[in-house]
Amino acid sequence: MNILGQWIAFKTIVYREIRRFLRIWVQTLVPPAITIALYFVIFGSLIGSRIGEMGGFDYMQFVVPGLIMMAIIQNSYGNVVSSFFGTKFQRNIEEMLVSPVKDITILLGFVVGGMVRGLLVGGIVTLLALFFTDLNVHNWWVTISMVFLTALVFSLAGFINAIFAESFDDISIIPTFVLTPMIYLGGVFYSVDLLPNFWANVSLINPILYMVNGFRFGILGASDVGLLHAYIMLILFVVVGFSTSLYLLTRAEKLRS
Amino acid sequence: MVHVHLLLRQWGFYDRIDSFGVFLLFRHIAYWSYSLLMTDEHRFAALEINGLEKTYKNGFQALKGISLKVETGDFFALLGPNGAGKSTTIGVICSLVSKTAGHVSIFGHNIDTHFTEAKQCIGVVPQEFNFNQFEKVLDIVVTQGGYYGLPHRVALERAEKYLRLLDLWDMRGMISRTLSGGMKRRLMIARALVHEPKLLILDEPTAGVDIELRRSMWEFLEKVNATGTTIILTTHYLEEAESLCRNIAIIDAGNIIENTSMKALLRKLTREVFVLDIKESITSDLQLSGFVLRLMDEHCIEVEVDQHQTLNQLFNQLAEQGVTVTSMRNKANRLEEMFVSVLNTPDASETNDSEESDSNINSSTTQTKGAAV
C-alpha cells in the first residue's frame, strides 16, 4: 500500500476515533465540562474571591489556564487509553493488524484522535471560562503550540498505558494514582513560588508544571518557569513518548501471540 | 517479414549465431512474452508455506515445520482436531501470530519482506467475533475498507455490494452486538471481502450457524470462488469440506499428515458403514456372507462394505432372504470416516506435504485421536 493508501488508513482511524467519542458524548464531552465548570464556580468565584491575587493576577484569571490545561491532559490521555485498550479487549485491533496499515499509521491515528478530543474539550472549557472571566491571549503562538504539544504528549502517554494494560484496572490505576496527583501538584491551582524551596525544586521534575506554566504564559504573559525550558521539556517528552510507543507497537508482544 | 529476413541476412545475422544462439533467442522471446502476459496470480501459488514452525512462550510447539502449497483459484480445506495447529497456521499467514521459523508467501509476496503487498492479497474471517460490538454494521465494513486504502466512496460502494449479497444491507444501521450469531458471521465475511482479496481465509465460518444459513453461506462461498478468489477453509463440519473443497490438508499435532485432492483422499477410504432401515422385523438369524453386520434394532441394521465389495452384492443377499430395505444412508460422512482413519493411523509424525503423497496415507500419524472434529 502506497503513501496515499496509508493516508486514507490514517484518516479512517482518526474519523473512527472521533466517531467513537462523539457517539458517547455523554461520557466523553459532558462530564469534563461539568467538572471544570464546578472548579470555576468553587475555586474561581467562591473561594477564589477570598484568596486574592496569585502570581500577580486575580485567582480566577490565574486558575483558568491551569484548568483548561487539566481538561486537555485528562481527555487526550483518557481517549487514547480507553479507545486503544477497547480495541485490544474486543480484539478489533486485529482488523488493523491483518491489514497493510503500518504501525506508525496506527499510532498516529490513535494519537491524533486523542488530541482532537483533548482540544475539543479544551475548547468547550474555554467557552465556559468566558462566563466567569475575561480571557486575553498574551501570545497566540505560545498558547496554541503549548496546547498542541500537551495534547500530543498525553495522547502518547495514554497509548503506552493502553499497550501495557491487560485489564480495565490497568487503565484506571495510572490516571488515578499518577496522573491526577501530577496535575494537582503541577501548578494548576497555585504558583510554585508559594512552596518552600525544597518542594518547589521537587515540582520541577513534574512535566505538567512546564505545560501549565507555558500555557499560562501564552494567556497571561507570566510563568513560574522559563519558556525555553518548557519547550525543551515538552519536545523531549514528545520524542521519548513517540519512540517508546512505536517501539512497543512494533514489538507488539502484548498484541501478537 | 521478407524484408526483415533479407535485411538480417544482409547484415550477416544468421552467420553470427549458431543453433544454440537461436534457441537462446527464442527462449528469451518466450520468457519476455510470458512475463508480459502472466500476472502474479498465474506465476505464483496463492499460498506457499515452507518449514513453518511456531513455539509459544510457554514452550508449546504448535507447528513443527509444516510445508503447504495452495494453488491459485483453489478451494482448499485445512482440517485437524482441536489444538492441531490450524488457527496458529492461519494466524501466522495473517500476521496475528509471529512465527518461530520458516517462510510464508502469498502470491509470491514474502510476508516478512513484502508484508504490505502480502496483506493486501488476504481477507480473513476469524473464528471469534472480533469487530467493535458498539459500531454500526455499515461503519465496520467501510472502516475496514479504509484500512486497506480504499477511498471512502469506493469503500461505501463495496460495503453496499457485499452487505446486499450477504443479506445484511437492511441491518446496515444496526449496532453490531444486536445482530444474531449468523448475521455476525456474515458481517465478518462482508468485512473480509470489502477490499476484494485474491485469497480468502475462513476459520470455521459456519460454527454455530443453523443448517439453512450454512447452506446459503456455502452457495455464497462457491460463487466467490467461481470469480477466481482462492479460498482456504477450516471447519469442523466435514460435510462442508467434502462438498466445497477440491484439495485438502489434514494437520495434527503441528504436522501436516495428509495433503492431497479431496477425490484422491476419499478413494482411499477402504470401507464404508451403511445404515439400512428394514420393513420387516429382523431376528438375529439374519446372516450376510462376507459383510460385517450389526443389528441396531428390529427394523435397522448397520453393514460394513469394503472397497472390493459392491452394494449389488449386499442387496442381492438381502433380497434372497426376503428382506425389504426402505431406506439407506451412510453412518458417517465419508470424509469424517477418512479423517478419523487418518488420525488413528500410527506413525503420523512424519510430515507428508506433497500432492503425490496418497500412497503414504497409512504410514502417517503418531497419536490416536478420537473423532474430535
Side-chain angles (χ1 to χ4, degrees):
Chain A
M1 197 159 71
N2 57 18
I3 191 86
L4 178 65
Q6 294 295 334
W7 170 245
I8 291 171
F10 164 76
K11 283 197 299 182
T12 303
I13 299 171
V14 174
Y15 289 156
R16 194 204 55 201
E17 286 301 288
I18 293 172
R19 205 166 57 229
R20 190 193 76 89
F21 74 69
L22 290 181
R23 187 175 62 232
I24 49 172
W25 60 276
V26 177
Q27 297 172 49
T28 53
L29 303 180
V30 176
I34 291 175
T35 309
I36 301 293
L38 287 170
Y39 277 119
F40 287 148
V41 172
I42 295 164
F43 289 100
S45 300
L46 300 179
I47 300 175
S49 57
R50 291 164 186 265
I51 291 173
E53 284 196 349
M54 179 75 70
F57 297 92
D58 281 352
Y59 188 66
M60 188 63 179
Q61 281 183 308
F62 179 86
V63 83
V64 162
L67 290 172
I68 293 171
M69 217 44 156
M70 183 164 100
I72 293 170
I73 290 169
Q74 285 177 331
N75 284 279
S76 304
Y77 189 95
N79 195 72
V80 180
V81 78
S82 56
S83 178
F84 193 76
F85 179 73
T87 62
K88 272 172 60 178
F89 185 77
Q90 295 192 69
R91 294 181 55 190
N92 56 313
I93 182 91
E94 292 176 2
E95 291 176 340
M96 282 175 274
L97 296 179
V98 301
S99 76
V101 187
K102 291 191 171 175
D103 290 336
I104 194 167
T105 311
I106 296 175
L107 174 61
L108 288 173
F110 273 95
V111 166
V112 172
M115 288 174 70
V116 172
R117 175 167 152 199
L119 298 177
L120 184 60
V121 172
I124 293 170
V125 169
T126 307
L127 288 176
L128 285 172
L130 293 174
F131 288 99
F132 297 91
T133 184
D134 290 333
L135 272 178
N136 296 307
V137 178
H138 171 74
N139 186 323
W140 279 104
W141 293 110
V142 173
T143 305
I144 291 169
S145 59
M146 276 294 159
V147 162
F148 270 85
L149 284 170
T150 304
L152 176 57
V153 167
F154 280 94
S155 291
L156 288 166
F159 194 87
I160 294 168
N161 186 176
I163 283 200
F164 281 109
E166 287 178 349
S167 69
F168 283 100
D169 287 344
D170 295 340
I171 62 167
S172 65
I173 283 173
I174 303 288
T176 307
F177 295 105
V178 180
L179 198 58
T180 306
M182 277 171 66
I183 292 170
Y184 279 66
L185 299 172
V188 170
F189 297 101
Y190 57 84
S191 165
V192 285
D193 292 344
L194 296 180
L195 298 174
N197 264 349
F198 175 76
W199 290 110
N201 287 330
V202 169
S203 294
L204 292 177
I205 60 169
N206 183 353
I208 292 176
L209 183 77
Y210 299 92
M211 298 168 189
V212 169
N213 277 284
F215 184 64
R216 190 170 280 141
F217 179 86
I219 301 281
L220 301 175
S223 167
D224 288 344
V225 295
L227 199 58
L228 181 65
H229 202 166
Y231 274 116
I232 291 170
M233 290 298 280
L234 271 172
I235 291 166
L236 187 71
F237 280 117
V238 168
V239 171
V240 171
F242 192 82
S243 317
T244 310
S245 303
L246 193 58
Y247 171 74
L248 289 170
L249 184 61
T250 308
R251 200 180 55 156
E253 280 186 2
K254 300 270 182 190
L255 307 176
R256 294 185 178 96
S257 304
Chain B
M1 278 302 287
V2 176
H3 291 294
V4 173
H5 165 68
L6 289 173
L7 271 173
L8 288 173
R9 195 170 68 177
Q10 193 180 340
W11 290 341
F13 177 77
Y14 298 117
D15 302 331
R16 287 178 198 165
I17 57 168
D18 53 14
S19 57
F20 185 66
V22 172
F23 165 73
L24 288 178
L25 181 71
F26 276 100
R27 198 184 70 160
H28 186 73
I29 291 169
Y31 182 76
W32 179 77
S33 315
Y34 177 79
S35 307
L36 201 67
L37 295 172
M38 296 291 122
T39 62
D40 284 354
E41 289 171 44
H42 296 98
R43 271 199 293 258
F44 300 106
L47 170 68
E48 201 158 356
I49 296 175
N50 285 307
L52 183 62
E53 290 179 28
K54 172 65 187 177
T55 306
Y56 286 99
K57 276 184 182 171
N58 60 9
F60 174 68
Q61 194 177 9
L63 298 175
K64 299 170 182 169
I66 66 166
S67 296
L68 196 64
K69 192 174 181 182
V70 179
E71 295 297 343
T72 300
D74 202 354
F75 206 134
F76 191 91
L78 183 61
L79 304 182
N82 286 330
K86 303 185 297 292
S87 293
T88 302
T89 307
I90 288 175
V92 172
I93 296 167
C94 302
S95 309
L96 293 175
V97 176
S98 53
K99 58 188 166 57
T100 310
H103 297 280
V104 178
S105 60
I106 316 290
F107 291 100
H109 306 297
N110 188 308
I111 62 162
D112 298 319
T113 55
H114 295 84
F115 72 95
T116 53
E117 292 88 344
K119 284 176 168 181
Q120 196 80 44
C121 297
I122 305 175
V124 62
V125 180
Q127 207 175 109
E128 310 282 340
F129 302 129
N130 69 344
F131 45 78
N132 188 330
Q133 301 282 320
F134 303 102
E135 278 204 271
K136 290 177 184 169
V137 169
L138 183 64
D139 289 340
I140 288 171
V141 183
V142 172
T143 300
Q144 189 70 13
Y147 296 153
Y148 285 85
L150 294 182
H152 188 69
R153 185 182 50 78
V154 179
L156 262 176
E157 285 170 6
R158 298 263 187 92
E160 181 176 350
K161 175 183 168 185
Y162 289 106
L163 287 175
R164 280 190 191 282
L165 283 170
L166 286 152
D167 290 330
L168 285 173
W169 181 243
D170 292 342
M171 286 84 184
R172 64 188 178 279
M174 285 174 69
I175 301 297
S176 60
R177 80 193 144 104
T178 62
L179 298 178
S180 69
M183 288 175 186
K184 286 177 179 172
R185 293 257 164 231
R186 283 181 284 152
L187 170 59
M188 292 206 294
I189 295 176
R191 186 186 62 178
L193 286 169
V194 71
H195 64 289
E196 302 195 331
K198 292 192 282 185
L199 173 62
L200 179 65
I201 300 173
L202 303 113
D203 195 359
E204 296 182 28
T206 52
V209 171
D210 69 55
I211 185 65
E212 191 182 350
L213 187 57
R214 203 184 309 157
R215 287 187 190 283
S216 74
M217 281 167 75
W218 294 355
E219 278 175 28
F220 177 77
L221 292 175
E222 279 177 326
K223 282 179 193 163
V224 171
N225 181 240
T227 63
T229 306
T230 310
I231 297 182
I232 298 174
L233 176 86
T234 78
T235 181
H236 278 189
Y237 299 107
L238 298 181
E239 180 196 358
E240 183 168 286
E242 186 181 343
S243 64
L244 290 174
C245 301
R246 290 187 284 280
N247 292 295
I248 182 170
I250 297 177
I251 186 167
D252 184 35
N255 291 311
I256 299 278
I257 55 170
E258 184 57 57
N259 183 7
T260 183
S261 73
M262 190 66 75
K263 282 181 184 168
L265 183 67
L266 293 174
R267 270 202 304 273
K268 285 181 287 189
L269 196 60
T270 54
R271 63 168 197 116
E272 285 187 77
V273 180
F274 293 96
V275 179
L276 280 67
D277 293 317
I278 308 296
K279 190 176 178 185
E280 302 81 13
S281 290
I282 317 161
T283 63
S284 54
D285 298 338
L286 181 66
Q287 294 293 323
L288 296 171
S289 168
F291 292 96
V292 177
L293 173 75
R294 279 185 293 277
L295 274 174
M296 305 310 291
D297 60 49
E298 61 178 15
H299 289 286
C300 183
I301 56 171
E302 265 184 26
V303 185
E304 287 184 20
V305 180
D306 284 341
Q307 66 183 161
H308 59 269
Q309 294 174 314
T310 67
L311 289 175
N312 284 4
Q313 291 170 339
L314 171 66
F315 280 105
N316 286 341
Q317 286 197 43
L318 288 167
E320 282 166 12
Q321 297 185 50
V323 175
T324 314
V325 178
T326 55
S327 71
M328 184 179 88
R329 62 188 180 276
N330 272 90
K331 185 184 180 190
N333 169 274
R334 291 184 305 161
L335 181 59
E336 193 172 309
E337 288 195 22
M338 195 67 233
F339 184 84
V340 174
S341 144
V342 169
L343 291 178
N344 284 337
T345 308
D347 191 26
S349 57
E350 293 168 31
T351 54
N352 182 5
D353 55 11
S354 90
E355 274 286 318
E356 274 70 54
S357 60
D358 298 5
S359 59
N360 297 333
I361 187 162
N362 291 322
S363 63
S364 322
T365 314
T366 23
Q367 292 164 291
T368 300
K369 297 269 180 187
V373 289

